[in-house]
Amino acid sequence: MHIMEGYLPWYWCVFWYAVALPVVAYGVIQIKKVTDEHPESKPLLAVSGAFMFILSSLKMPSVTGSCSHPCGNGLGAVLFGPAAVSVLGAIVLLFQALLLAHGGLTTLGANIVSMGIVGPLAAWLVWKGTNKLGLSASIGIFLAALAGDWLTYVATAVQLSMAFPIPTVGSAFVKFIAIYAYTQVPLAIAEGLLTVVIFDYIMKLRPDILRKLGVIKAEDAEKASEKVPEVA
C-alpha cells in the first residue's frame, strides 16, 4: 500500500500533506488528553503502535509503485480512536521510510491519509456500529480490523487513480483496486483473526483499562476479570 518515494507528482504530495497534518495535530492533542486522564494506558498505546509497525512492514509485491501488506490500524483505532492512530501511523510510516525504504518522505502525507486516517476511521466506525447492533467483541474487532485494512487500500487506489487518471479516474481506480484485491482480501481476513487474538488477550489481561477507555462496558470488564486465572 505504501506509495514509494518520488512516485506522486509534487502537487499531490503537497495536497496530501495538507490533508494529513491537521488530523495528526488533532491526534497529538487526543493522545495527550487520554494519557493524562489514564496514564496506565501508555503501554497499550505503545503496543498498538508496535502492532501497526510490525504488520505493515510485512510487505509483498503488488502493483508498480506500491505493495501489499497487513495494516494493523484496526486495533489502535478501536482502543484509542482514529485521531490517535493518525499519530501512530505518522510515526510508523516515517520510521519505515527512513529505515526500511518502505514508502517515502515525499509521499508520507498520502500514506498517512490512507493507512493512518481513512483506514482507522473505517475501523472505528465499524466497531461502533457492531456495538450498537449488540454483536460480540470478537466479531466487532474482526470486522473493524477487516474494514481498516480494506479501506486503507481503497484510499490508496483513489490516491493513485487521482494522480494517474489513465484514461479516467474511474477506470484507473478499478484497475488499481482489482490488482490489490488479489492479495488484500485474504491478507485482511488473516489480519482480522490475528487482531481478535490480540484483543481477547488484552481484554483478559487488563479489562480495567479497556473499561476506562470506554472500549468495553463495565459488565463486560467484570466478566472478563472473572476469567483471569489467579496466580499462586
Side-chain angles (χ1 to χ4, degrees):
M1 150 264 150
H2 293 31
I3 301 175
M4 69 180 183
E5 183 69 51
Y7 194 71
L8 292 179
W10 68 269
Y11 44 88
W12 280 114
C13 296
V14 173
F15 174 78
W16 293 119
Y17 262 108
V19 174
L21 290 180
V23 181
V24 174
Y26 177 68
V28 171
I29 296 172
Q30 289 300 304
I31 287 179
K32 186 177 186 309
K33 180 181 177 183
V34 171
T35 53
D36 285 346
E37 293 176 354
H38 309 293
E40 67 274 23
S41 67
K42 291 180 181 178
L44 197 54
L45 184 66
V47 167
S48 300
F51 184 71
M52 194 173 179
F53 180 84
I54 293 171
L55 288 196
S56 60
S57 296
L58 304 175
K59 61 180 180 177
M60 63 180 67
S62 180
V63 62
T64 302
S66 187
C67 61
S68 188
H69 55 75
C71 297
N73 49 12
L75 179 65
V78 167
L79 298 179
F80 294 97
V85 178
S86 71
V87 181
L88 299 180
I91 296 170
V92 165
L93 289 162
L94 178 61
F95 274 91
Q96 289 176 337
L98 295 176
L99 303 178
L100 304 178
H102 191 187
L105 295 180
T106 61
T107 56
L108 183 61
N111 290 330
I112 291 173
V113 169
S114 56
M115 197 177 84
I117 297 176
V118 176
L121 178 61
W124 182 77
L125 290 174
V126 168
W127 169 256
K128 293 296 182 184
T130 57
N131 281 347
K132 286 189 176 181
L133 292 174
L135 300 180
S136 71
S138 295
I139 294 176
I141 191 70
F142 173 78
L143 294 177
L146 204 68
D149 185 299
W150 283 344
L151 266 295
T152 294
Y153 280 83
V154 169
T156 303
V158 169
Q159 291 171 323
L160 292 173
S161 59
M162 289 172 67
F164 306 102
I166 303 173
T168 65
V169 173
S171 58
F173 173 78
V174 171
K175 291 176 184 176
F176 281 119
I177 202 65
I179 294 173
Y180 280 142
Y182 286 108
T183 50
Q184 213 54 37
V185 169
L187 270 179
I189 293 173
E191 178 182 342
L193 295 173
L194 176 62
T195 308
V196 171
V197 172
I198 300 297
F199 183 81
D200 284 349
Y201 181 75
I202 294 172
M203 191 157 70
K204 291 175 183 175
L205 192 66
R206 294 301 303 268
D208 55 318
I209 296 180
L210 297 185
R211 180 182 61 76
K212 290 178 181 177
L213 292 174
V215 178
I216 60 176
K217 298 176 182 176
E219 54 266 32
D220 295 329
E222 188 174 342
K223 291 178 182 177
S225 299
E226 294 172 353
K227 296 178 182 179
V228 178
E230 295 184 0
V231 178

